[in-house]
Amino acid sequence: MGKGGEKGEEEGGYEKMLTHYTWEEIQKHNSRTDKWLVIDRKVYNVTNWALKHPGGIRVISHFAGEDATDAFQAFHPDLTFVRKFMKPLLIGELAPGEPSQDRQKKAQSGWLQHDFGHLSVFRSSKWNHLLHKFLIGHMKGASGNWWNHRHFQHHAKPNIFNKDPDVNMLKVFVLGDTQPVEFGKRKIKYLPYNYQHEYFFLIGPPLLIPVYFYIQIMMTMITRRDWVDLAWATTYYIRYFTTYIPFYGFFGSILFVIFVRFIESHWFVWVTQMNHIPMTIDDEKHKDWITMQLDSTCNIEQSFFNDWFSGHLNFQIEHHLFPTMPRHNYYKIAPLVKSLCDKHGLNYQVKPLLQAFKDIIGSLKKSGDLWLDAYLHK
């Protein structure tokens, strides 16, 4: 398939290449010996009994962070202190909750909206879409359509420039091996990219969600006249300000939500980038779908903490191969996927969590050095 794409480009574009395949040629990929079909068939045979989202205690456990404040309530005489400062610090992310007596389990709602967005909770797409709108809109103040538009492109073409929005860095960073060389040769220097592994800590994790994402979300809903999503997001802010103005006042409430988003942004950036940024990032090469996913994705070792911290998306390879499968089931199919990848010589990377974090910085430094070498070369 990859070579066919290259041939199509030589004859006038990828669109023409699509017309070169006859039905008989396509049928060749449906044989029992096709390695991708074998992976698909065996994995789904194993997991037919486990396709349903687990729900119940396993999902609720992801919302238990808010209850960590109970220990402080038991021994600290000033409950206002607990409500104002300890609760947002402990839940750390994703959706400010009402005062603790209301018992609303909102920690990790980002992972749960991801489940609904991938249609992996209910068998009915209608119910998945409805709950997705509720969680990402009412609980987080964002847009379901905006998320779908970005995230589905990412899954279709991960780490491919101009096709995966997650690697569109607005010329703030250069990624991979080819983009920095291209920027260097063209003398493009919007920022000193040879220091990007250092300024990443200042403008990456701190600013992505509270600044870039929320400006983009609001602009997208308004310019595309997505009034339904805007209405859902409005209910979040109505609920939020009604809850917190009595504690902080209006301007204090604005600072508070920025603080929560700031913490969420750090969590989100490290978890999402550790699986992709250190991998191959390049222009479209028209690889077959499975190879493309494995070249751009890696896993993080399983542990109780890693599963919880990443929302079970430490099994990113399995998630990209089976995006509608409930994420709590990925550990069940991971050994089979790995064995089949080994059998067919495919790259199946698994690394420790701290190594994955380190690799983000290492890959940014490598790309920055490539840019500097090309930039200085005359």
Side-chain angles (χ1 to χ4, degrees), residues 11 74 81 97 114 199 215 217 222 238 249 276 330 336 340 374:
E11 296 180 2
F81 172 83
H114 182 270
Y199 67 68
I215 291 175
I217 288 168
I222 293 171
I238 291 174
H276 295 293
Y330 288 139
L336 178 57
L340 289 171

Side-chain angles (χ1 to χ4, degrees), residues 54-121:
I57 189 74
R58 295 186 65 182
V59 172
I60 291 174
S61 65
H62 283 279
F63 295 89
E66 191 171 3
D67 280 347
T69 56
D70 287 347
F72 292 91
Q73 290 177 344
F75 298 103
H76 201 287
D78 186 0
L79 294 184
T80 300
F81 172 83
V82 175
R83 294 168 183 166
K84 279 187 175 182
F85 302 108
M86 296 311 303
K87 185 177 297 298
L89 185 62
L90 286 168
I91 65 174
E93 42 112 27
L94 301 179
E98 282 80 352
S100 57
Q101 63 266 29
D102 288 342
R103 302 292 182 189
Q104 297 216 14
K105 315 295 187 183
K106 294 179 181 177
Q108 299 226 1
S109 60
W111 306 140
L112 189 55
Q113 71 82 20
H114 182 270
D115 294 347
F116 287 114
H118 275 289
L119 310 182
S120 65
V121 180

Side-chain angles (χ1 to χ4, degrees), residues 29 33-41 288-291 294 340-341 344 346:
H29 294 276
T33 60
D34 186 86
K35 58 185 176 183
W36 313 134
L37 182 62
V38 171
I39 291 178
D40 182 88
R41 185 185 304 278
D288 63 81
W289 186 78
I290 301 291
T291 302
L294 287 165
L340 289 171
C341 288
H344 296 287
L346 297 171

